[in-house]
Amino acid sequence: MEQIADAEDLAQVLRGASLRVTRPRVALLAAVHDHPHADTDTLIRAVRVALPEVSHQAVYDSLHALTGAGVLRRIQPNGSVARYEARIDDNHHHLVCRSCGAIADVDCAVGDAPCLTAAHDHGFAIEEAEVIYWGRCPTCAATSAPTP
């Protein structure tokens, strides 16, 4: 994922997606870059550091606009609240800790990975595969017994 340097770079991202540049959108985009895989509450708190007066609704509206335009990606592992990331330019996957809920990016499998190729596409034009690997992060694995 390319690094976004400043507010003007973030504004360019919005313009490139044909979105109006607003202070809440710029602050939200910066927050997602700073806090990958963050949930909505975390993002609201982060946006309020830059814009203390921003409403929950403004953040929700911005999330909706940015995900709809493909500027952000919404992920929701089973049992988790929705989370957001700015890494949208590739078909990467995620590792999720069953104990603490930590999420990490993982690049697509390389080599022969038949589970990533649909056995039958049912006429769909497949554009990406979403894979979530479940396990325990290094911290949880070192401090707890295995989960069944």
Side-chain angles (χ1 to χ4, degrees):
M1 174 176 63
E2 88 181 56
Q3 285 295 86
I4 300 292
D6 60 20
E8 186 51 41
D9 290 338
L10 297 171
Q12 276 304 114
V13 169
L14 294 171
R15 286 185 197 102
S18 299
L19 293 172
R20 280 183 336 136
V21 177
T22 65
R23 291 177 59 217
R25 287 178 180 174
V26 170
L28 176 61
L29 196 50
V32 174
H33 277 275
D34 290 344
H35 306 281
H37 309 125
D39 62 21
T40 306
D41 289 338
T42 301
L43 293 172
I44 289 169
R45 285 192 302 275
V47 169
R48 285 189 170 160
V49 169
L51 297 174
E53 73 284 356
V54 76
S55 68
H56 279 72
Q57 192 61 50
V59 174
Y60 283 110
D61 290 347
S62 294
L63 283 169
H64 181 73
L66 294 173
T67 56
V71 173
L72 295 180
R73 181 177 176 193
R74 180 183 184 272
I75 62 169
Q76 191 167 6
N78 189 31
S80 175
V81 296
R83 297 174 180 271
Y84 298 88
E85 65 182 351
R87 186 175 171 184
I88 49 94
D89 56 350
D90 65 356
N91 184 26
H92 70 280
H93 306 299
H94 297 95
L95 298 162
V96 179
C97 179
R98 290 185 189 277
S99 298
C100 71
I103 300 175
D105 290 333
V106 63
D107 291 329
C108 287
V110 295
D112 186 24
C115 65
L116 298 180
T117 303
H120 189 297
D121 64 18
H122 297 275
F124 282 67
I126 298 173
E127 297 169 349
E128 68 180 293
E130 185 172 315
V131 174
I132 298 178
Y133 299 95
W134 293 90
R136 291 183 300 133
C137 69
T139 302
C140 291
T143 60
S144 65
T147 54

